[in-house]
Amino acid sequence: MIETDVLVSGGGVAGLTAAAAFGAAGFSVICVDPTPPVTEMQAEGSDLRTTAFLQPSRDFLIRAGLWDRLEPHASALQVMRIVDAGGQEPEPRSSHDFNAADISDLPFGWNLPNWLLSREMVARLAEMPNVDFRPGTGTAGVLTRDREALVTLSDGTRIRARLIIAADGRKSPVREAVGIPVKTTRYGQKALAFAVTHDVPHGNVSTEIHRSGGPFTLVPLPDHEGRPSSAVVWMERGPEVARLAALPTADFEAEMTARSAGLWGPLTLITRRTVWPIISQVAERMEAERVALVAEAAHVVPPIGAQGLNMSLGDMRALLDLAEASPEDLGSRRMLAAYHKARHGEVRARVAGIDALNRASMVSIQGLRDMRMRALRAFYSVKPVRTSLMRAGLGTGRAG
Ligand SMILES: Cc1cc2nc3c(=O)[nH]c(=O)nc-3n(C[C@H](O)[C@H](O)[C@H](O)COP(=O)(O)OP(=O)(O)OC[C@H]3O[C@@H](n4cnc5c(N)ncnc54)[C@H](O)[C@@H]3O)c2cc1C
């Protein structure tokens, strides 16, 4: 029987961050994942999505001792541009820039490829003597009591932990083992994620183009072989994504250039296309005896406004603040009730907000698309509304 303060179930980007953060705070940590992380871009199964870390998340990455490793690879996001191309033709008919300079001296956030995050996070864990990362081994059984959790791993190892952090994804085996229900919303929608190069420099502008089916988003990346480059997330209804994913490259490039309204010139595909199902999901509680749910184990949102992993880092910040405030109380009923209280309302509000934005972006009826454009124009034109929306998006204030 191995004893540890914290058992992190899941070694995705969220689980690796949790392990680094609790390790940096001096807790002993074991992190397990049955699927070893893929840490090279070209390797089979690498995660080609990128994550835009917003300002509060960068502070947490600094606290976890991760930021120094990540910063050299990050692209700053200074402006968020929202373009409406919802007219009869796929052309821009309105464009609104939200500039971080209106609310802060810093950019909104910093964008990094997920495969590179895994590489740097795994390297960071290897430096920490109090963190034991066990790729290739999963959580197989969970039994909790008032004073501890007993975890059986897939290789038969038994662990006694004061706290289990469930970061094992949207189908979280730990969440299922402790019986926390979820509420799931399906949109019949999927996302294509890939990277492109283009002629027009992105100028650190992240651009979301709305027409129908969901947003087409270009997020700045460092130059690729001397050419400006962006990560793309293209959301559409499922059958349309299947059609796009199967197109020959030249036809796909023509379609994505048209869908981007030609804003960055012709787009050239530089990675494979990966497909991601889109849902919203919220767990009914963020905790159970000796268990805290974080990240997609607790909440899933469509990729709009870079909220998903940023909310997850918010979970970890709340949990770590409580753990550091009274370390002897780690995993207690009192601590976990406080965690639930700190996070659940905020999480539900954000999931509801992103659900509404996604539905607005999906509309195909012309009259509704025109209404969407007028609503954005109205919000944008009132400066206090605009700046409070920006603060709410960053997680440093509330809308309204
Ligand atoms: C197209 C797209 C773009 C996105 N862009 C952004 C963005 O710009 N900014 C942002 O903040 N968010 C973004 N998100 C959301 C973000 O990618 C996710 O929130 C994040 O990747 C989820 O991380 P996770 O670690 O919770 O889950 P996962 O990555 O699913 O990790 C869960 C891990 O648990 C492991 N696991 C499963 N079973 C077990 C077991 N029995 N024991 C132990 N481990 C187990 C799995 O192997 C897996 O590695 C995006 C999402 C999508 C779909």
Side-chain angles (χ1 to χ4, degrees), residues 9-10 14 32-35 49-50 52 138-139 167-169 173 295-296 303 306 308-310:
S9 180
V32 295
D33 194 313
T35 313
R49 293 175 298 174
T50 63
T139 306
D168 42 13
E296 291 211 335
L309 195 65
N310 284 283

Side-chain angles (χ1 to χ4, degrees), residues 211-222:
R211 183 163 167 72
S212 66
F216 182 100
T217 308
L218 291 130
V219 192
L221 286 175

Side-chain angles (χ1 to χ4, degrees), residues 57-86:
S57 293
R58 187 190 69 145
D59 296 344
F60 191 72
L61 293 171
I62 292 171
R63 192 169 164 192
L66 288 165
W67 184 244
D68 284 350
R69 289 180 161 278
L70 299 177
E71 189 175 18
H73 309 284
S75 301
L77 309 181
Q78 182 61 34
V79 172
M80 303 268 202
R81 180 170 296 159
I82 300 190
V83 176
D84 189 285

Side-chain angles (χ1 to χ4, degrees), residues 8-16 32-36 47 49-54 57 111 114 137-140 167-174 191-193 219 232-235 274 276-278 294-297 299-312 316:
V8 180
S9 180
V13 174
L16 294 174
V32 295
D33 194 313
T35 313
D47 186 345
R49 293 175 298 174
T50 63
T51 297
F53 289 103
L54 303 177
S57 293
N111 195 38
N114 283 14
T137 310
T139 306
D168 42 13
R170 53 182 70 182
K171 293 187 180 138
S172 169
V174 168
L192 280 163
V219 192
V232 177
V233 176
W234 183 356
M235 285 160 65
T274 55
W276 302 88
I278 301 301
V294 300
E296 291 211 335
H299 44 73
V300 185
V301 286
I304 297 180
Q307 295 292 308
L309 195 65
N310 284 283
M311 257 200 279
S312 309
M316 291 170 212

